[in-house]
């Protein structure tokens, strides 16, 4: 486990970005969309009012139904059915938000208009009391919510003014890229390696198998695509902070985690969401106008892999999404980045949808990180061209006046969920945004420390909200461990080791550890929660910022490395090169073992000394490769260096 408390990173002290003290009531883009929605509702309301005024019996029923969902029932005096219709519309909007079924609210409203027409006795009533009530419900509801928003806005503005009095004296250390002249490489403990093996065992199973994954649904947070991408992130973080000079089974594990996303069981949800969300029968999960929940998440995993290993996923057709034996969609890293960039360019918000017509700023952070890595690796300018627009979107359309991130907004209606702005949104914002908008990430963390996190005298705790007590990988409510894992991730990334250590200690003290076949996992956490815990365990200050924004130092990319080792017989706890020599620490994974290690990136035909191996010296072949034999019975240091 890496704490990184004894190394001061390079960087500069910057003044905290102040909160806007006089922000508009509604952002400019959202205001335009709300005005458009208001115009549509007004036209619908006027059409309904006209039918109620001049229409016959059936026309008046339809008119009442246009005034408010279920208004036709109300015109017959069926108040309970009106309540059912309104509730059904609310539930349909919730389902639309959950699985992208944009057609459902429209279908429910149309059904609520048509069903009352089957009433046996239709009598013209004109503007009787039920019709007046129907006419007032929608305008009254809109006025009520606007008033509530105005009150909240004023409260949040006052809070922003108060917070700014403190922020004016705050300075953040914005780390450089890279954050240190020599990036730290830690050594994993035996317990660290046992938890890492949980991820390795998941990844190294056959591509067609999903043993150990949580299979709840493929639409929301517990979906397989998220588990696979987080698996890739966890392996990447370990490799970057502990074994940058080891390829072998770690590369194979990352490769399989990325490739597995092409299984229809993982990405097939998109055919449904595109059909009922965009009324399109197109199945392509990449070449479409939404789905940053796949292109952004997988793009980040691919970018990390290419940073650490090679460009295999940038080759044409390297990412195959298979629907059937005769239908598949072939893409690559460039296609993922291109799709994200096009969708950001065409979206009024710049940020674009996960489920059709619902924008999640956290998912778009993965999209931005994908573009940033593609620019660094391939010389493109996707992120550079969109940087200002992305920053403007986050600051002006997806932040409340008090500095909290707005977690979701409808691109069609402009509406957001007020409650979706708690720590569950702020923590991933802090972690993943640190790579490209460190000013907002650091301010977000400061605001969390000031307004959300409390210390009970023993540990740091999050507010006891439903979101903070939910394991997103299993939808289990009640426990605090999933939230504490995310707290540790964010804290460690920004260098708040006090909070990170407290959060990880809470998980260790609270959760039962299951051990099987040498692998360890927390019993009370989902697969996703266990994988996130690895990211927290193996993270360091500015670790993700360095990985995404800087990548691998030349010494790591060009120096000797372990190219192959047997798994699980040999566990690599540390492997790093200074460009000429290789230092590694090995542990046995299944008892004492005599094993071969394949090395590459040696200087062709050069002699090397091999400390810790059975061979005193080795000679690299013409391709710069060699094999050494090691006896691994406990902690085994190995050093391979050029012979003078």
């Amino acid at each position: 486990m890496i704490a990184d408390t004894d190394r001061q990173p390079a960087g500069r002290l910057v003044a905290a970005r102040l909160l806007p003290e006089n922000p508009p009531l509604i952002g400019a883009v959202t205001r335009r969309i709300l005005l458009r929605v208001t115009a549509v509702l007004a036209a619908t309301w006027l059409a309904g009012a006209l039918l109620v005024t001049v229409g016959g019996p059936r026309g008046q029923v339809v008119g009442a139904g246009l005034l408010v969902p279920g208004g036709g029932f109300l015109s017959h005096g069926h108040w309970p059915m009106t309540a059912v219709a309104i509730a059904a519309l609310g539930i349909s909007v919730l389902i639309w938000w959950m699985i992208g079924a944009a057609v459902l609210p429209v279908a429910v409203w149309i059904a609520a208009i048509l069903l009352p027409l089957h009433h046996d006795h239709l009598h013209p009533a004109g503007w009787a009391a039920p019709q007046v009530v129907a006419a007032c419900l929608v305008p009254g509801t809109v006025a009520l919510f606007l008033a509530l928003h105005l009150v909240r806005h004023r409260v949040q503005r006052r809070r922003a003014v108060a917070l700014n009095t403190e922020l004016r004296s705050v300075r953040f250390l914005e780390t450089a890229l890279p954050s240190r002249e020599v990036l730290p490489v830690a050594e994993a403990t035996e317990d660290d390696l046992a938890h890492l093996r949980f991820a390795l065992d998941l990844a190294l199973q056959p591509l067609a198998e999903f043993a150990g994954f949580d299979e709840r649904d493929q639409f929301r947070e517990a979906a397989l695509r998220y588990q696979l991408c987080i698996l890739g992130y966890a392996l990447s973080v370990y490799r970057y902070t502990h074994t940058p000079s080891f390829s072998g089974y770690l590369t194979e594990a990352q490769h399989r985690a990325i490739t597995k996303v092409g299984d229809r069981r993982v990405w097939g949800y998109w055919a449904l969401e595109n059909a009922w969300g965009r009324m399109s029968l197109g199945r392509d999960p990449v070449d479409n106008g939404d789905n940053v929940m796949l292109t952004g998440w997988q793009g980040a995993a691919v970018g990390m892999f290419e940073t650490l290993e090679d460009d295999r996923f940038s080759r044409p057709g390297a990412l195959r999404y298979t629907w059937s034996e005769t239908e598949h969609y072939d893409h690559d890293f460039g296609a993922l980045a291109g799709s994200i960039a096009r969708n950001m360019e065409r979206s009024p918000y710049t940020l674009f949808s996960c489920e059709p017509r619902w924008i999640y700023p956290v998912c778009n952070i993965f999209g931005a990180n994908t573009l940033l890595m593609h620019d660094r690796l391939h010389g493109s300018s996707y992120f550079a061209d969109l940087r200002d627009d992305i920053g403007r979107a986050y600051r002006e359309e997806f932040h409340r006046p008090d500095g909290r991130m707005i977690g979701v907004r409808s691109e069609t209606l402009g509406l957001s969920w007020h409650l979706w702005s708690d720590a569950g949104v702020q923590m991933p914002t802090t972690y993943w945004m640190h790579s490209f908008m460190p000013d907002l990430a650091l301010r977000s963390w400061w605001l969390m420390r000031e307004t959300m996190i409390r210390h009970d005298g023993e540990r740091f705790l999050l507010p006891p909200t439903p979101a903070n007590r939910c394991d997103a990988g299993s939808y289990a409510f009640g426990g605090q461990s999933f939230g504490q894992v995310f707290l540790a991730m964010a804290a460690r990334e920004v260098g708040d080791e006090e909070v990170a250590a407290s959060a990880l200690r809470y998980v260790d003290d609270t959760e039962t550890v299951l051990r099987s076949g040498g692998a360890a996992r927390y019993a009370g956490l989902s697969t996703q929660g266990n994988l996130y815990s690895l990211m927290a365990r193996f993270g360091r200050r500015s670790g993700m910022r360095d990985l995404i924004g800087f990548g691998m130092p030349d010494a790591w990319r060009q120096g000797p490395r372990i190219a192959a080792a047997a798994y699980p017989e040999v566990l690599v706890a540390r492997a790093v090169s200074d460009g000429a020599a290789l230092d590694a620490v090995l542990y046995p994974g299944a008892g004492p073992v005599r094993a071969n290690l394949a090395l590459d990136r040696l200087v062709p035909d050069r002699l090397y000394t091999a400390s810790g191996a059975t061979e005193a010296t080795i000679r690299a072949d013409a391709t710069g490769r060699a094999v050494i034999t090691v006896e691994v019975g406990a902690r085994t240091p190995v050093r391979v260096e050029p012979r003078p």
Side-chain angles (χ1 to χ4, degrees):
M1 184 182 295
I2 187 166
D4 195 33
T5 56
D6 59 341
R7 298 181 179 92
Q8 182 65 21
R12 61 193 180 103
L13 287 175
V14 296
R17 179 185 286 272
L18 297 181
L19 300 168
E21 297 188 358
N22 191 31
L25 180 63
I26 300 169
V29 176
T30 301
R31 184 167 60 249
R32 290 197 299 270
I33 292 174
L34 286 173
L35 287 173
R36 183 183 66 200
V37 172
T38 300
V40 172
L41 286 176
T44 303
W45 189 93
L46 289 172
L50 182 64
L51 285 171
V52 170
T53 302
V54 302
R58 300 178 71 84
Q60 290 184 7
V61 170
V62 171
L66 291 173
L67 293 174
V68 66
F73 294 116
L74 189 62
S75 67
H76 293 309
H78 292 301
W79 297 84
M81 287 301 297
T82 302
V84 168
I86 293 173
L89 183 66
I91 293 171
S92 71
V93 171
L94 180 64
I95 295 173
W96 169 28
W97 166 63
M98 292 176 68
I99 63 173
V103 70
L104 192 58
V106 177
V108 168
W109 196 330
I110 291 174
I113 291 172
L114 298 179
L115 286 175
L117 294 176
H118 295 283
H119 194 273
D120 292 336
H121 303 289
L122 297 176
H123 300 292
W127 285 99
Q131 284 76 10
V132 173
V133 171
C136 293
L137 278 175
V138 170
T141 300
V142 171
L144 175 62
F145 278 97
L146 183 60
L148 289 173
H149 178 69
L150 179 61
V151 171
R152 284 198 303 264
H153 185 77
R154 288 177 175 173
V155 170
Q156 291 165 8
R157 280 178 54 187
R158 287 196 294 270
R159 191 177 301 149
V161 172
L163 289 167
N164 278 343
T165 61
E166 299 178 59
L167 271 173
R168 285 187 176 89
S169 62
V170 172
R171 297 294 181 269
F172 297 131
L173 178 60
E174 186 175 299
T175 58
L177 285 172
S179 61
R180 297 154 184 83
E181 184 177 350
V182 178
L183 293 178
V185 176
E187 180 182 325
T189 66
E190 289 187 89
D191 192 51
D192 290 339
L193 292 169
H195 282 273
L196 176 68
R197 286 185 63 177
F198 170 73
L200 289 170
D201 289 348
L202 280 178
L204 291 171
Q205 64 183 300
L207 286 174
E209 296 179 12
F210 287 87
F213 289 89
D214 293 319
E215 298 191 50
R216 299 291 193 275
D217 70 280
Q218 300 313 316
F219 297 103
R220 297 301 305 177
E221 287 81 356
L224 286 170
R225 65 183 176 278
Y226 296 130
Q227 296 175 64
L228 287 166
C229 291
I230 298 164
L231 174 57
Y233 307 153
L235 295 171
S236 295
V237 168
Y238 180 75
R239 186 168 178 179
Y240 194 66
T241 61
H242 289 70
T243 61
S245 298
F246 171 49
S247 178
Y249 56 75
L250 192 49
T251 292
E252 180 62 20
Q254 292 175 276
H255 174 93
R256 293 192 189 190
I258 291 169
T259 303
K260 221 178 184 92
V261 176
D263 190 302
R264 177 176 168 177
R265 290 168 289 180
V266 177
W267 69 271
Y269 70 90
W270 179 246
L272 290 172
E273 292 208 11
N274 202 30
W276 61 39
R278 293 291 184 186
M279 278 61 76
S280 169
L281 297 180
R283 295 184 178 127
D284 194 321
V286 175
D287 187 12
N288 58 68
D290 306 282
N291 209 21
V292 70
M293 56 190 171
L294 184 143
T295 55
W297 282 69
Q298 190 182 25
V302 173
M304 291 179 198
F305 178 90
E306 187 164 322
T307 295
L308 297 165
E309 183 60 27
D310 58 38
D311 65 354
R312 70 185 68 178
F313 290 113
S314 288
R315 299 163 192 165
L319 295 171
R320 170 164 288 191
Y321 305 88
T322 301
W323 181 262
S324 67
E325 292 183 359
T326 59
E327 183 179 352
H328 54 81
Y329 303 92
D330 292 342
H331 294 289
D332 52 42
F333 185 29
L336 295 177
S339 175
I340 294 165
R342 286 193 303 275
N343 285 328
M344 285 188 169
E345 288 167 354
R346 62 96 191 148
S347 171
Y349 282 108
T350 302
L351 311 189
F352 67 101
S353 298
C354 291
E355 283 80 17
R357 305 175 192 274
W358 288 101
I359 299 172
Y360 289 79
V362 171
C363 283
N364 277 266
I365 290 175
F366 291 89
N369 281 324
T370 297
L371 300 184
L372 186 61
M373 285 188 281
H374 193 275
D375 286 0
R376 173 172 56 77
L377 292 162
H378 293 276
S380 55
S381 61
Y382 290 136
F383 182 80
D385 293 343
L386 287 162
R387 180 191 296 272
D388 292 343
D389 291 335
I390 291 171
R392 189 179 304 111
Y394 278 108
R395 289 191 299 269
E396 298 178 6
E397 302 292 343
F398 290 92
H399 263 84
R400 299 186 341 187
D402 60 1
R404 293 193 183 187
M405 175 79 77
I406 295 169
V408 62
R409 189 180 291 283
S410 167
E411 74 166 38
T412 302
L413 303 179
L415 301 178
S416 65
W417 304 135
H418 172 68
L419 296 177
W420 203 273
S421 57
D422 209 336
V425 174
Q426 312 311 313
M427 290 185 292
T429 297
T430 297
Y431 184 82
W432 290 106
M433 191 179 276
H434 193 218
S435 56
F436 66 94
M437 292 183 71
D439 57 336
L440 287 188
L442 294 169
R443 189 183 71 183
S444 179
W445 179 253
W446 183 87
L447 289 170
M448 281 195 62
R449 285 294 308 257
E450 291 295 312
T451 65
M452 296 185 193
I453 302 171
R454 67 178 180 87
H455 194 268
D456 67 354
E458 182 179 355
R459 57 174 58 97
F460 291 93
L461 299 175
L462 295 167
T465 62
N468 293 337
R469 298 294 177 87
C470 176
D471 185 330
S474 63
Y475 310 132
F477 281 91
Q480 300 183 52
S481 292
F482 190 89
Q484 289 287 318
V485 164
F486 247 120
L487 184 62
M489 283 174 57
R492 184 154 279 175
E493 173 66 20
V494 299
D496 196 333
E497 191 58 32
E498 181 186 19
V499 173
S502 168
L504 289 173
R505 188 167 57 250
Y506 175 90
V507 177
D508 281 334
D509 292 345
T510 303
E511 294 296 331
T512 300
V513 177
L514 293 180
R515 299 183 185 272
S516 176
R521 64 164 292 165
Y522 295 113
L525 282 175
S526 63
T527 292
Q528 190 178 126
N530 275 278
L531 294 174
Y532 275 134
S533 77
L534 296 180
M535 296 178 68
R537 178 184 291 263
F538 300 131
R540 62 162 171 82
R541 184 172 193 167
S542 295
M544 188 55 67
R545 176 169 163 79
D546 283 337
L547 172 57
I548 291 174
F550 172 71
M552 298 273 275
D554 289 343
W556 294 359
R557 287 190 296 106
Q558 299 169 4
R561 68 175 184 174
I562 301 173
Y567 179 80
E569 288 80 6
V570 178
L571 304 178
V572 184
R574 187 175 189 266
V576 64
S577 173
D578 61 3
L582 169 69
D583 283 291
V585 176
L586 312 175
Y587 280 87
V593 64
R594 181 184 178 93
N596 292 332
L597 297 183
L599 309 178
D600 66 0
R601 294 181 180 170
L602 303 170
V603 177
D605 298 317
R606 183 159 187 179
L607 280 173
Y608 286 80
T609 60
S611 303
T614 58
E615 302 90 347
T617 61
I618 57 171
R619 182 181 292 276
D621 66 16
T623 64
R625 301 178 67 89
V627 175
I628 61 174
T629 304
V630 290
E631 300 279 357
V632 187
R635 180 182 182 276
T636 305
V638 175
R639 178 174 174 82
V640 177
E641 59 184 333
R643 186 171 176 177

